[in-house]
Amino acid sequence: MQTNQSLPKRKIVRKSSISLCFHVICDEDGKTISTSVIEKAAPTETQIIIHDITIMTQKVKEQISQMQTFFSHSSKSYYGDPLFFLSIVLHRVIPLDKVIMLDVDLKFDEDIRLLYNIFDEFSERSIIGIARENQPVYRHLFHQYRGKNPSTRVGAPPPDGLTGFNSGVLLLDLEKMRKSQVYNSLIDSPKTLETLTQKYLFKGHLGDQDFYTLVSMEHEDLFHILPCSWNRQLCVWWRDHGYGQVFDQYYTCSEQIKVYHGNCNSDIPALQWERQ
């Protein structure tokens, strides 16, 4: 099993029943820091493989550049960094079959092996596992389209709405991504992306999750929806910024939480295993 991109600060290894291999994508400073953190937290058999972010992104420079055009304020903005688009083209730069890609602001309260097992639930056409966005972010970003199409599912809440995605936890079937003609045509054709952004009156600023969200408006079958329990986002920013009346339709998660996501610098609660 492989885990990819970033090292969550919270101990995945505490709950893991299997040996892990961390693929860390970083610069030279990040190599030293991440290796030190993992070695202190993980068993000695844990593998650590470092990938140079500059070398890796250079291989897919053209694709990342066009993603920056559509899904960030600018290449110099926070979410304009190439790292925030790498998941989209990871199948072209890393020779693995499947990976779990994780943000750093996560805390696991369940065995990551159970998350990996969700790959077995993918349909024949599903290539990416991803959870819904827990706030009305895309209700807001698609507000022009929704205004012209009042009965649309676009930006509407679950379970029936096309809510949009949060990319803090990603299951990437890289082998299926390589083979998917539909998916690769989307990342290789700026004209196709431009047509989609114009159709849905969409301008993103949140990196890869904007791409996945926009693509899902036309190609739902490419995505396997992860239960909210595997990416329980704690940010409540939109509750206090114009969407209080509908906020809970997006935010409510009645499942037992397996992974907490402290996005927006939200505090993650102390778990039972941490108090022992």
Side-chain angles (χ1 to χ4, degrees), residues 75-266:
S75 61
K76 296 182 179 180
S77 64
Y78 180 74
Y79 285 108
D81 190 284
L83 180 64
F84 292 105
F85 298 95
L86 195 55
S87 73
I88 299 170
V89 287
L90 198 65
H91 60 297
R92 296 187 175 181
V93 295
I94 193 166
L96 299 171
D97 293 336
K98 296 181 178 70
V99 298
I100 298 174
M101 197 166 187
L102 302 170
D103 278 1
V104 297
D105 52 350
L106 303 175
K107 185 187 289 188
F108 274 69
D109 199 26
E110 185 54 273
D111 189 345
I112 195 172
R113 181 175 188 171
L114 299 180
L115 177 60
Y116 189 83
N117 289 345
I118 294 177
F119 277 116
D120 295 335
E121 301 175 14
F122 281 24
S123 70
E124 183 178 347
R125 288 178 58 82
S126 297
I127 61 175
I128 294 170
I130 189 169
R132 292 186 174 96
E133 174 61 49
N134 286 168
Q135 295 193 91
V137 174
Y138 293 103
R139 187 185 187 101
H140 179 78
L141 293 181
F142 285 108
H143 73 277
Q144 292 186 63
Y145 182 83
R146 287 174 54 81
K148 294 177 181 293
N149 301 272
S151 62
T152 185
R153 296 171 60 215
V154 172
D160 299 321
L162 295 173
T163 310
F165 294 131
N166 181 279
S167 59
V169 176
L170 288 171
L171 271 61
L172 302 175
D173 190 322
L174 300 181
E175 184 62 26
K176 290 174 73 174
M177 290 169 73
R178 295 182 190 106
K179 293 177 179 178
S180 174
Q181 292 183 358
V182 170
Y183 183 78
N184 286 288
S185 69
L186 289 164
I187 64 177
D188 287 329
S189 174
K191 185 62 178 178
T192 300
L193 283 180
E194 183 179 10
T195 299
L196 281 178
T197 58
Q198 291 175 349
K199 175 180 178 178
Y200 290 100
L201 304 171
F202 182 79
K203 173 57 180 174
H205 65 284
L206 295 171
D208 57 359
Q209 73 176 46
D210 283 339
F211 170 78
Y212 298 135
T213 293
L214 183 61
V215 168
S216 73
M217 302 302 150
E218 301 269 324
H219 303 284
E220 291 183 66
D221 56 349
L222 292 178
F223 302 93
H224 179 87
I225 307 299
L226 298 180
C228 59
S229 58
W230 282 108
N231 182 1
R232 180 41 170 157
Q233 304 135 51
L234 299 175
C235 182
V236 295
W237 192 89
W238 287 98
R239 184 182 62 193
D240 303 320
H241 291 81
Y243 291 91
Q245 289 186 341
V246 299
F247 184 83
D248 285 341
Q249 296 178 45
Y250 296 83
Y251 190 75
T252 299
C253 180
S254 58
E255 304 168 12
Q256 182 175 348
I257 307 305
K258 299 176 175 66
V259 177
Y260 289 90
H261 185 179
N263 52 340
C264 302
N265 294 316
S266 302

